[in-house]
Amino acid sequence: MSVLPNPQVLDQLWQLAQTLGQTLGLEIVDIAYKTHTRPATLRVDIRHPDHPTGLEDCAQLSRLLDTELETKDWFTGPFILEVSSPGIDRKLTTEREFTVFRGFEVRVTGYGPIQGQKVWEGQLLKRDATTLQITQQGRVVTLALNQIATVQLVG
């Protein structure tokens, strides 16, 4: 079984991935270490801020990250490294995702109608403790978080 040896390793992974990503002009969106797979999987989601993230972006970061991870003793067993793009229809859940994807087109689905609509689409502006804001053709729409079932990227 592969496990991370200490809690600081995830922070160190973030720092390493961000540093390497910056050299390629990439942003790190998410990192997940999945121990329920055999072998374990280290997944790094990236995006390129200037163009659609492509296979070559993923491959370049994967090569750099793989080389660096070979020199670390952060893992106690084998693991698979996956570098990918979050892709279209990715559900946003973390504060980091809401920050990284600010300005992107999103689809907001309510548990029921919110202000008379069950589904809203627009550009993500911001999320705070109680609300989510999107723009629709220049108009700001504020939606209550407790009424929102999902927020996802759209293509």
mmCIF file of all heavy atoms in Angstrom, residues 115 120-126 131-143:
data_model
loop_
_atom_site.group_PDB
_atom_site.id
_atom_site.type_symbol
_atom_site.label_atom_id
_atom_site.label_comp_id
_atom_site.label_asym_id
_atom_site.label_seq_id
_atom_site.Cartn_x
_atom_site.Cartn_y
_atom_site.Cartn_z
ATOM 1 N N GLN A 115 -34.548 32.207 -8.210
ATOM 2 C CA GLN A 115 -35.052 33.415 -8.882
ATOM 3 C C GLN A 115 -35.825 33.036 -10.151
ATOM 4 O O GLN A 115 -35.683 33.664 -11.196
ATOM 5 C CB GLN A 115 -33.909 34.381 -9.200
ATOM 6 C CG GLN A 115 -33.150 34.856 -7.982
ATOM 7 C CD GLN A 115 -31.947 35.706 -8.348
ATOM 8 O OE1 GLN A 115 -31.876 36.309 -9.410
ATOM 9 N NE2 GLN A 115 -30.978 35.755 -7.441
ATOM 10 N N TRP A 120 -28.672 28.342 -14.549
ATOM 11 C CA TRP A 120 -28.137 29.644 -14.937
ATOM 12 C C TRP A 120 -26.801 29.423 -15.627
ATOM 13 O O TRP A 120 -26.026 28.567 -15.191
ATOM 14 C CB TRP A 120 -27.900 30.517 -13.703
ATOM 15 C CG TRP A 120 -29.144 30.978 -13.022
ATOM 16 C CD1 TRP A 120 -29.897 30.273 -12.131
ATOM 17 C CD2 TRP A 120 -29.774 32.243 -13.166
ATOM 18 N NE1 TRP A 120 -30.962 31.024 -11.712
ATOM 19 C CE2 TRP A 120 -30.911 32.251 -12.336
ATOM 20 C CE3 TRP A 120 -29.494 33.377 -13.926
ATOM 21 C CZ2 TRP A 120 -31.754 33.342 -12.236
ATOM 22 C CZ3 TRP A 120 -30.330 34.470 -13.825
ATOM 23 C CH2 TRP A 120 -31.455 34.444 -12.988
ATOM 24 N N GLU A 121 -26.534 30.181 -16.676
ATOM 25 C CA GLU A 121 -25.216 30.129 -17.321
ATOM 26 C C GLU A 121 -24.674 31.537 -17.436
ATOM 27 O O GLU A 121 -25.429 32.481 -17.683
ATOM 28 C CB GLU A 121 -25.296 29.475 -18.703
ATOM 29 C CG GLU A 121 -25.497 27.987 -18.630
ATOM 30 C CD GLU A 121 -25.278 27.282 -19.953
ATOM 31 O OE1 GLU A 121 -24.753 27.898 -20.903
ATOM 32 O OE2 GLU A 121 -25.629 26.099 -20.036
ATOM 33 N N GLY A 122 -23.371 31.667 -17.232
ATOM 34 C CA GLY A 122 -22.721 32.962 -17.343
ATOM 35 C C GLY A 122 -21.265 32.839 -16.972
ATOM 36 O O GLY A 122 -20.763 31.751 -16.684
ATOM 37 N N GLN A 123 -20.566 33.965 -16.941
ATOM 38 C CA GLN A 123 -19.163 33.977 -16.548
ATOM 39 C C GLN A 123 -19.061 34.066 -15.037
ATOM 40 O O GLN A 123 -19.737 34.882 -14.407
ATOM 41 C CB GLN A 123 -18.428 35.167 -17.164
ATOM 42 C CG GLN A 123 -18.086 34.988 -18.602
ATOM 43 C CD GLN A 123 -17.176 36.113 -19.072
ATOM 44 O OE1 GLN A 123 -17.384 37.266 -18.768
ATOM 45 N NE2 GLN A 123 -16.157 35.743 -19.821
ATOM 46 N N LEU A 124 -18.214 33.229 -14.472
ATOM 47 C CA LEU A 124 -17.995 33.208 -13.033
ATOM 48 C C LEU A 124 -17.290 34.487 -12.591
ATOM 49 O O LEU A 124 -16.234 34.825 -13.114
ATOM 50 C CB LEU A 124 -17.152 31.987 -12.657
ATOM 51 C CG LEU A 124 -16.763 31.840 -11.192
ATOM 52 C CD1 LEU A 124 -17.990 31.712 -10.306
ATOM 53 C CD2 LEU A 124 -15.845 30.642 -11.023
ATOM 54 N N LEU A 125 -17.906 35.191 -11.651
ATOM 55 C CA LEU A 125 -17.279 36.387 -11.086
ATOM 56 C C LEU A 125 -16.597 36.079 -9.765
ATOM 57 O O LEU A 125 -15.413 36.275 -9.610
ATOM 58 C CB LEU A 125 -18.311 37.489 -10.853
ATOM 59 C CG LEU A 125 -18.743 38.312 -12.034
ATOM 60 C CD1 LEU A 125 -19.742 39.377 -11.622
ATOM 61 C CD2 LEU A 125 -17.548 38.958 -12.703
ATOM 62 N N LYS A 126 -17.401 35.606 -8.801
ATOM 63 C CA LYS A 126 -16.820 35.299 -7.490
ATOM 64 C C LYS A 126 -17.793 34.488 -6.659
ATOM 65 O O LYS A 126 -18.981 34.405 -6.937
ATOM 66 C CB LYS A 126 -16.417 36.570 -6.754
ATOM 67 C CG LYS A 126 -17.577 37.422 -6.290
ATOM 68 C CD LYS A 126 -17.066 38.623 -5.510
ATOM 69 C CE LYS A 126 -18.231 39.431 -4.968
ATOM 70 N NZ LYS A 126 -17.788 40.514 -4.110
ATOM 71 N N THR A 131 -22.877 33.580 -1.233
ATOM 72 C CA THR A 131 -23.389 33.810 -2.580
ATOM 73 C C THR A 131 -22.371 33.462 -3.659
ATOM 74 O O THR A 131 -21.174 33.375 -3.402
ATOM 75 C CB THR A 131 -23.805 35.292 -2.784
ATOM 76 O OG1 THR A 131 -22.656 36.119 -2.640
ATOM 77 C CG2 THR A 131 -24.906 35.709 -1.826
ATOM 78 N N LEU A 132 -22.894 33.297 -4.858
ATOM 79 C CA LEU A 132 -22.089 33.108 -6.062
ATOM 80 C C LEU A 132 -22.548 34.176 -7.036
ATOM 81 O O LEU A 132 -23.751 34.409 -7.185
ATOM 82 C CB LEU A 132 -22.340 31.717 -6.658
ATOM 83 C CG LEU A 132 -21.635 31.429 -7.980
ATOM 84 C CD1 LEU A 132 -20.194 31.007 -7.701
ATOM 85 C CD2 LEU A 132 -22.352 30.349 -8.749
ATOM 86 N N GLN A 133 -21.590 34.824 -7.702
ATOM 87 C CA GLN A 133 -21.949 35.831 -8.694
ATOM 88 C C GLN A 133 -21.448 35.413 -10.069
ATOM 89 O O GLN A 133 -20.305 34.972 -10.207
ATOM 90 C CB GLN A 133 -21.349 37.197 -8.340
ATOM 91 C CG GLN A 133 -22.032 37.863 -7.180
ATOM 92 C CD GLN A 133 -21.514 39.267 -6.950
ATOM 93 O OE1 GLN A 133 -20.417 39.617 -7.365
ATOM 94 N NE2 GLN A 133 -22.324 40.082 -6.284
ATOM 95 N N ILE A 134 -22.351 35.560 -11.057
ATOM 96 C CA ILE A 134 -22.003 35.341 -12.453
ATOM 97 C C ILE A 134 -22.453 36.568 -13.238
ATOM 98 O O ILE A 134 -23.233 37.381 -12.730
ATOM 99 C CB ILE A 134 -22.658 34.063 -13.033
ATOM 100 C CG1 ILE A 134 -24.193 34.167 -12.990
ATOM 101 C CG2 ILE A 134 -22.169 32.820 -12.305
ATOM 102 C CD1 ILE A 134 -24.914 33.024 -13.709
ATOM 103 N N THR A 135 -21.935 36.700 -14.449
ATOM 104 C CA THR A 135 -22.434 37.762 -15.330
ATOM 105 C C THR A 135 -23.086 37.115 -16.532
ATOM 106 O O THR A 135 -22.616 36.102 -17.050
ATOM 107 C CB THR A 135 -21.317 38.714 -15.818
ATOM 108 O OG1 THR A 135 -20.347 37.971 -16.539
ATOM 109 C CG2 THR A 135 -20.676 39.436 -14.664
ATOM 110 N N GLN A 136 -24.187 37.715 -16.946
ATOM 111 C CA GLN A 136 -24.879 37.302 -18.155
ATOM 112 C C GLN A 136 -25.020 38.541 -19.027
ATOM 113 O O GLN A 136 -25.740 39.471 -18.660
ATOM 114 C CB GLN A 136 -26.269 36.744 -17.839
ATOM 115 C CG GLN A 136 -26.262 35.398 -17.201
ATOM 116 C CD GLN A 136 -27.676 34.857 -17.037
ATOM 117 O OE1 GLN A 136 -28.604 35.582 -16.714
ATOM 118 N NE2 GLN A 136 -27.827 33.564 -17.281
ATOM 119 N N GLN A 137 -24.277 38.594 -20.115
ATOM 120 C CA GLN A 137 -24.308 39.719 -21.047
ATOM 121 C C GLN A 137 -24.161 41.048 -20.308
ATOM 122 O O GLN A 137 -24.918 41.986 -20.514
ATOM 123 C CB GLN A 137 -25.594 39.684 -21.868
ATOM 124 C CG GLN A 137 -25.702 38.404 -22.678
ATOM 125 C CD GLN A 137 -27.038 38.245 -23.359
ATOM 126 O OE1 GLN A 137 -28.026 38.870 -22.993
ATOM 127 N NE2 GLN A 137 -27.075 37.385 -24.357
ATOM 128 N N GLY A 138 -23.179 41.090 -19.387
ATOM 129 C CA GLY A 138 -22.876 42.322 -18.663
ATOM 130 C C GLY A 138 -23.704 42.562 -17.416
ATOM 131 O O GLY A 138 -23.428 43.479 -16.650
ATOM 132 N N ARG A 139 -24.710 41.737 -17.173
ATOM 133 C CA ARG A 139 -25.570 41.892 -15.997
ATOM 134 C C ARG A 139 -25.090 40.945 -14.900
ATOM 135 O O ARG A 139 -24.917 39.741 -15.139
ATOM 136 C CB ARG A 139 -27.011 41.552 -16.377
ATOM 137 C CG ARG A 139 -28.013 41.693 -15.240
ATOM 138 C CD ARG A 139 -29.408 41.361 -15.730
ATOM 139 N NE ARG A 139 -29.513 39.954 -16.083
ATOM 140 C CZ ARG A 139 -30.312 39.078 -15.469
ATOM 141 N NH1 ARG A 139 -31.091 39.448 -14.493
ATOM 142 N NH2 ARG A 139 -30.334 37.820 -15.858
ATOM 143 N N VAL A 140 -24.859 41.464 -13.699
ATOM 144 C CA VAL A 140 -24.411 40.648 -12.577
ATOM 145 C C VAL A 140 -25.617 39.961 -11.945
ATOM 146 O O VAL A 140 -26.620 40.611 -11.634
ATOM 147 C CB VAL A 140 -23.672 41.503 -11.516
ATOM 148 C CG1 VAL A 140 -23.315 40.660 -10.303
ATOM 149 C CG2 VAL A 140 -22.426 42.129 -12.115
ATOM 150 N N VAL A 141 -25.500 38.638 -11.771
ATOM 151 C CA VAL A 141 -26.548 37.845 -11.130
ATOM 152 C C VAL A 141 -25.951 37.249 -9.861
ATOM 153 O O VAL A 141 -24.904 36.604 -9.902
ATOM 154 C CB VAL A 141 -27.041 36.706 -12.065
ATOM 155 C CG1 VAL A 141 -28.077 35.850 -11.363
ATOM 156 C CG2 VAL A 141 -27.562 37.271 -13.373
ATOM 157 N N THR A 142 -26.609 37.468 -8.738
ATOM 158 C CA THR A 142 -26.161 36.944 -7.448
ATOM 159 C C THR A 142 -27.097 35.812 -7.034
ATOM 160 O O THR A 142 -28.313 36.002 -6.962
ATOM 161 C CB THR A 142 -26.147 38.055 -6.377
ATOM 162 O OG1 THR A 142 -25.289 39.113 -6.824
ATOM 163 C CG2 THR A 142 -25.651 37.526 -5.049
ATOM 164 N N LEU A 143 -26.507 34.639 -6.768
ATOM 165 C CA LEU A 143 -27.278 33.444 -6.424
ATOM 166 C C LEU A 143 -26.870 32.969 -5.026
ATOM 167 O O LEU A 143 -25.688 32.975 -4.690
ATOM 168 C CB LEU A 143 -27.024 32.342 -7.448
ATOM 169 C CG LEU A 143 -27.281 32.725 -8.915
ATOM 170 C CD1 LEU A 143 -26.726 31.676 -9.855
ATOM 171 C CD2 LEU A 143 -28.756 32.957 -9.160
#
